[in-house]
Amino acid sequence: MDKLTMEDVFRTLSKPLQDFEVKPGKTALLLIDFQELVCSKPLLREAVGAGLPERQVREALREYDNRIRKAVKNAQRILEACREKGYDVMHVKLGAQTNNPLHTAKVNRKADFIVPNDAEKGRFLREVKPIEGELVFPKTNGGAFTGTNLDFVLRNMDINSVIITGFLTDQCVLATAVYAGDVGYDVLLVEDACTGTTRENHDAVVRIAKDVFLKVKTTRELLRTL
Amino acid sequence: MDKLTMEDVFRTLSKPLQDFEVKPGKTALLLIDFQELVCSKPLLREAVGAGLPERQVREALREYDNRIRKAVKNAQRILEACREKGYDVMHVKLGAQTNNPLHTAKVNRKADFIVPNDAEKGRFLREVKPIEGELVFPKTNGGAFTGTNLDFVLRNMDINSVIITGFLTDQCVLATAVYAGDVGYDVLLVEDACTGTTRENHDAVVRIAKDVFLKVKTTRELLRTL
Amino acid sequence: MDKLTMEDVFRTLSKPLQDFEVKPGKTALLLIDFQELVCSKPLLREAVGAGLPERQVREALREYDNRIRKAVKNAQRILEACREKGYDVMHVKLGAQTNNPLHTAKVNRKADFIVPNDAEKGRFLREVKPIEGELVFPKTNGGAFTGTNLDFVLRNMDINSVIITGFLTDQCVLATAVYAGDVGYDVLLVEDACTGTTRENHDAVVRIAKDVFLKVKTTRELLRTL
Amino acid sequence: MDKLTMEDVFRTLSKPLQDFEVKPGKTALLLIDFQELVCSKPLLREAVGAGLPERQVREALREYDNRIRKAVKNAQRILEACREKGYDVMHVKLGAQTNNPLHTAKVNRKADFIVPNDAEKGRFLREVKPIEGELVFPKTNGGAFTGTNLDFVLRNMDINSVIITGFLTDQCVLATAVYAGDVGYDVLLVEDACTGTTRENHDAVVRIAKDVFLKVKTTRELLRTL
């Protein structure tokens, strides 16, 4: 046998997490922060406005943008399948009711990251935007649960398992997934329907969370089960 | 200018997180899961019992054990300073009131990770164990906030900033820190008073969280401010 | 000394609750369910539609309507004073994002009490309706805290005391006030800026809550302190 | 038809609340504050110590004591039936980990009502005290949900309906019942297994809550369904 890591040791000591099972009426799709603000265009404008050199910003954004586009495309496929099969869909977004900084949660206020509901950069990406009958949860912090009544709504709908997609894996998605697992939801993270600030951070979150407090699948794997 | 990463870009777009400030009556020290169960001795026994080859397990544990010991020693110094200066101290631990699996939260029950309050492996490490007058929060899941009344207690004490130490950086510490930042606490993660399943996972969590939703300091840096 | 009641006995055993103090930046005004649906017009229509005899319904509504109008007038004076002095104002209302019953909380769904956001009867009473810059919290259950992110918002604004007005004293106002007191807010119930299903129930709630977990004042008394 | 009250009108407009159904594995019995401190003996001592005239206190306590004893006896019968049939039992009690006032929630701290875990008056009444394998939830405020992890535990056990018994109807029982109904539990209040500061307050709470956000039964009615 090869060298063991402590990850191997810990995994041996736990019962393997059961496969994630979609259950009509029990499973909801969560779409986290699919908004203009994760796209390269506003990021480019802001970064250059903040004094970063345009050429290097463009270069960094190129790789990032590819990851975002791929994740949006995958989320779109999942969303369409969920709508077709009647799975509940919950859209979570950054959005403050006013531009009064006090109406944005401290964690984002400290970073001066305020996104009023009517801001252009707060608009949903058209590929995955809500349709009538779907719930939207605006938040002004990271995790979808701590700053909204999402948990209240889900439990009142008797939903106990969630499929998580969106941005960014190492920020809002992480906070949402950790909370969901921690309070008892079955959680599926669709690894190619989300991405992180960097690929490295995305991979780290997947490695840390996978089979510990959530299951990880690709879009293709998930679609086969819907 | 060198190549930019998306991490550089995102950080340029946020206001830098202010320095963490300890404030008597407002700051509490959280000690997460300083229990026998993180130590190499019970892990060795269990891993070998589960069929892993003893030699390789010992090797993996050696490096891990060094990290744990160092973190315990640092946490002990912080704890002693906090006691001396009168900062509030909260001990969080894995502990179920009964060994009925239903009394352990789903996230740990799924992994068959049940630690009854009277289990030997649940005992506090003597270097940092609670003394009279300090609160203990038993939990049966990962994060210290979701599964206990810690948040209720802290807000009723008017505490709004927390110093986080303990185990494991990529599991319970992560869940605790994410929640704390997300609901508005000022959070300090003491990077050498905690450690992860692997060093790589510890480093990833520090990189992901640092200056995004919490501040990171070493024990030495923190002690200078207490 | 006259006959003692157990209420006298219990009150002697507790330290009297301190006077409620308004504090700029720390105190918010909560307006609960100031909507058409509490008014006699829609109630008359619905009651007669449900088969109740119109004359008797009108009679019952006359006394109720007087109480409602008086409370609305008082709430309006408080609201105007709060706006003038810069106290934060939070509007809580019954309102579901969709008319899907599953999107209404169980407690109201069980009673078939569903108020979609765009329903006429859900409109704010014009005397106290929100103006730009004021937060609105739609809920689909009774208490303003359990079914919304109101608590999250208030604590992120460092607000620790609330002035409660609205409808009905023995339903949503009660649930809101009990929660607020229980988690640690200083609570003021303005007894003539709210009313109950019956006067008797209103009085019972005031008697039960007063000086136990909240303070009670009249509008006039409150206005003197703003 | 006789005179209508607004209570009649409102009830006509709601769908009647379905009967409360006990479901093995889904229903738990909550016992609230069955402790020495609700008994006439410590109350007499404290009231006289606080300067109230002994004779009048004794008189007030006589009627109160009868109500308490009857409720304890009924709760005991329910508890025994629940144990026999295998329903989960949760004991909630007033109890602070330390006698540091800051470790008691503000709502009780303001009233100087601090009950350390080891205080004599905090002891469970022997008729209904916990046995091995039953969970105990100490709290330092009124409602059993806001100040403990009871909600977390119940949802992780997949319990969605609760039978409420205990003291006092117009204080801790009220706060517990309102919260439980509001977040979606099916709630049964056993009207003769609880009582209030006064009979009048008890009756008012029953009248206000009954068939609005909970069902009310007598012990005898409940026992027939267990």
Side-chain angles (χ1 to χ4, degrees), chain D residues 115-136:
Chain D
V115 186
N117 256 334
D118 56 3
E120 212 173 297
K121 69 178 178 182
R123 288 191 307 210
F124 282 110
L125 299 180
R126 66 181 164 64
E127 293 90 339
V128 290
K129 70 178 183 202
I131 58 173
E132 212 192 304
E134 290 173 355
L135 295 178
V136 176

Side-chain angles (χ1 to χ4, degrees), chain A:
Chain A
M1 186 184 254
D2 282 343
K3 203 173 169 247
L4 283 175
T5 69
M6 277 310 291
E7 228 164 339
D8 302 324
V9 173
F10 281 116
R11 274 163 210 270
T12 307
L13 300 182
S14 289
K15 200 170 83 181
L17 212 53
Q18 279 207 311
D19 194 19
F20 183 87
E21 217 182 318
V22 289
K23 295 160 286 179
K26 293 287 179 185
T27 303
L29 171 64
L30 305 188
L31 296 138
I32 312 288
D33 300 355
F34 281 92
Q35 295 169 273
E36 299 284 349
L37 51 84
V38 298
C39 290
S40 54
K41 223 157 130 188
L43 288 172
L44 173 63
R45 194 186 321 117
E46 289 185 41
V48 173
L52 290 179
E54 182 165 343
R55 202 176 50 76
Q56 279 104 319
V57 173
R58 279 191 188 280
E59 205 166 315
L61 279 171
R62 192 166 314 129
E63 182 266 352
Y64 168 81
D65 200 45
N66 277 338
R67 292 186 283 122
I68 293 281
R69 279 171 198 276
K70 194 178 146 217
V72 171
K73 200 162 288 180
N74 284 329
Q76 186 180 10
R77 292 165 64 203
I78 297 167
L79 174 59
E80 284 163 6
C82 283
R83 283 174 179 159
E84 200 188 310
K85 308 293 170 95
Y87 289 97
D88 291 292
V89 173
M90 310 283 160
H91 301 264
V92 180
K93 58 171 261 194
L94 282 157
Q97 275 195 47
T98 78
N99 50 21
N100 179 344
L102 288 173
H103 295 168
T104 281
K106 286 182 181 179
V107 66
N108 282 7
R109 192 193 314 155
K110 287 172 193 168
D112 205 16
F113 185 41
I114 292 173
V115 186
N117 256 333
D118 57 3
E120 212 172 297
K121 69 178 178 181
R123 287 190 308 211
F124 282 111
L125 299 181
R126 65 179 165 64
E127 292 91 337
V128 290
K129 71 177 182 203
I131 58 174
E132 213 191 304
E134 289 173 357
L135 296 178
V136 175
F137 298 83
K139 65 185 168 76
T140 64
N141 68 335
F145 286 95
T146 42
T148 76
N149 67 348
L150 174 61
D151 197 17
F152 178 81
V153 171
L154 293 178
R155 66 189 286 196
N156 271 277
M157 296 174 75
D158 288 326
I159 283 170
N160 58 25
S161 75
V162 291
I163 300 165
I164 298 182
T165 62
F167 308 117
L168 295 170
T169 315
D170 48 333
Q171 298 189 351
C172 299
V173 166
L174 172 64
T176 303
V178 165
Y179 186 105
D182 230 21
V183 300
Y185 290 93
D186 291 326
V187 181
L188 179 71
L189 182 67
V190 192
E191 63 180 325
D192 57 358
C194 59
T195 196
T197 44
T198 61
R199 185 182 297 273
E200 188 189 6
N201 283 357
H202 169 84
D203 291 347
V205 168
V206 170
R207 189 179 66 236
I208 284 170
K210 185 176 184 168
D211 296 324
V212 176
F213 59 88
L214 52 73
K215 298 298 286 186
V216 173
K217 290 191 199 230
T218 62
T219 298
R220 177 192 286 250
E221 287 166 348
L222 169 60
L223 289 175
R224 273 203 296 268
T225 72
L226 284 177

